[in-house]
Amino acid sequence: MSTTVPLTAPEGTRAALIAAAMRLFGQQGFAATSTRAIATLAGTNVASISYHFGGKDGLRQACADEFSRQIRSAMATPPAHILSADAAHSQLHAAVRRMAEFMLGSPAAGDMVPFLIRELGENGPGLTAIYTELMEPTHRRFCALWASITGQAPESDAVKLSVFSTIGQIFYFRMAGPLVARRMGWAHIGAAEIDAISIQIQSNLDALLVAAERP
Amino acid sequence: MSTTVPLTAPEGTRAALIAAAMRLFGQQGFAATSTRAIATLAGTNVASISYHFGGKDGLRQACADEFSRQIRSAMATPPAHILSADAAHSQLHAAVRRMAEFMLGSPAAGDMVPFLIRELGENGPGLTAIYTELMEPTHRRFCALWASITGQAPESDAVKLSVFSTIGQIFYFRMAGPLVARRMGWAHIGAAEIDAISIQIQSNLDALLVAAERP
DNA sequence: GTCTATAAACAGATAGAC
DNA sequence: GTCTATCTGTTTATAGAC
């Protein structure tokens, strides 16, 4: 059913294995994916997995590392100096919108978002690297923007939980996508549907910000 | 690490198998769980799985059915007639709070919530039954309450997405629990932490309702 | 209905040729 | 570095005794 997007241009067996594993882990989950299937998709043999990564677990970790690496290079971290409330508001909106479109519009994200979702659902070992290198900085930056808007303390529990609430909506709509589509009467989740969800999340964000400004 | 709660009082091999499978599927996922482990935990033999359920897949479906059955009997569906905005507001708050505590405070929910989370993450076949028998009615009821409060059309896209946004937060805090705890500096998610999350979600709910009332 | 024993396929890891 | 062949253990499913 998924459009058979070709794997990333193979620059060596090692990279091909990571690309193949990321796709299959994301589609079927870690336990359900055999090393043989990975090797076949990568155009190589099973033994190369042990050679390059020490085993299936090592390949999983390598996928998580590659995930963090690609996302970090894709998301240039802006300076995020002290901002006016209005500027922070625009930045936060843009960031949330970008994340929503990235998470929901998988074609752009390739095989990485399904992999992340699986790893999150399975509480995989790769999450530690992804957390420290990607999630924690992102969340911290969102909190800083949030605080610039509402005047709250950036690292207060209230701000942290509010940011999690917003990010959580994005993740939920991604994970429960099929169920949401069914309830909404959507045949599938295309550009229009992603737009509707994204707008809803941004509207929710504003509602939360307004409430936080007037406590 | 998890407190070794005894399985539900074994009333026959069939029930014991379902209880054991629900726990192991929830803890490790479907693919990572062997039929032998299930049979051992259930105090029976592997062959009984094929006998009673036709195979591992049949057992998974039986778990999903049992899940829906238990939740439906636990959640008596109130009449939900036409309500004043205030009454609807109280009911919606109570319902969201109950769901949050149920989803986050797993001991009360036993092995069912982890199973549901796994099934959701894996997009398992059991979800169809769970959706039609549990999620759809619940979501519909929430929408009705929401509409009674804001005056919107109960089955409008805006209301449906708003309800999903609220429910989604609960699911996210459950799924990403370990990550959230780490960022919050929580050693674990106990009663106090569940309370903090629940209060946050209810506060978010109010913010969304206020925004919906004044468009 | 329950169980033991076994079948047949598959898993991940590795030895060793090239 | 890459590959074939193989080892060892495990998987689900089933045959057949009780």
Side-chain angles (χ1 to χ4, degrees), chain B residues 15-74:
Chain B
L17 279 171
I18 291 177
M22 184 120 56
R23 168 172 301 180
L24 293 180
F25 287 161
Q27 285 177 349
Q28 316 167 341
F30 177 78
T33 302
S34 74
T35 52
R36 284 184 151 76
I38 297 169
T40 300
L41 181 59
T44 180
N45 57 86
V46 234
S48 61
I49 293 176
S50 285
Y51 177 79
H52 283 287
F53 307 100
K56 195 185 178 185
D57 292 306
L59 179 52
R60 180 187 212 166
Q61 189 63 50
C63 285
D65 295 340
E66 175 66 14
F67 175 90
S68 299
R69 203 189 61 77
Q70 284 196 27
I71 301 290
R72 275 192 80 81
S73 76

Side-chain angles (χ1 to χ4, degrees), chain B residues 58-133:
Chain B
L59 179 52
R60 180 187 212 166
Q61 189 63 50
C63 285
D65 295 340
E66 175 66 14
F67 175 90
S68 299
R69 203 189 61 77
Q70 284 196 27
I71 301 290
R72 275 192 80 81
S73 76
M75 290 189 179
T77 330
H81 289 129
I82 296 148
L83 294 169
S84 72
D86 276 358
H89 190 266
S90 312
Q91 280 204 17
L92 185 56
H93 256 285
V96 166
R97 181 182 164 82
R98 229 180 307 130
M99 180 182 280
E101 287 174 353
F102 179 76
M103 292 289 299
L104 298 169
S106 26
D111 301 318
M112 291 190 298
V113 171
F115 173 78
L116 172 64
I117 294 293
R118 285 278 183 185
E119 210 63 16
L120 190 72
E122 300 175 9
N123 225 321
L127 271 186
T128 303
I130 294 174
Y131 173 82
T132 55
E133 293 179 33

Side-chain angles (χ1 to χ4, degrees), chain A residues 37-123:
Chain A
I38 297 169
T40 301
L41 181 59
T44 180
N45 57 86
V46 232
S48 61
I49 292 175
S50 286
Y51 177 79
H52 283 287
F53 309 100
K56 195 185 180 186
D57 292 307
L59 179 52
R60 179 188 213 167
Q61 189 64 49
C63 287
D65 294 342
E66 176 66 13
F67 174 90
S68 299
R69 202 189 63 77
Q70 285 196 26
I71 301 289
R72 274 190 82 82
S73 75
M75 289 189 180
T77 330
H81 289 130
I82 295 147
L83 293 168
S84 71
D86 274 0
H89 189 266
S90 310
Q91 281 204 16
L92 184 57
H93 255 286
V96 166
R97 182 183 163 82
R98 229 181 307 130
M99 180 181 280
E101 285 174 354
F102 178 78
M103 292 289 300
L104 297 169
S106 27
D111 301 317
M112 290 191 299
V113 171
F115 173 79
L116 172 63
I117 293 293
R118 285 279 183 185
E119 209 64 16
L120 191 72
E122 300 176 9
N123 225 322

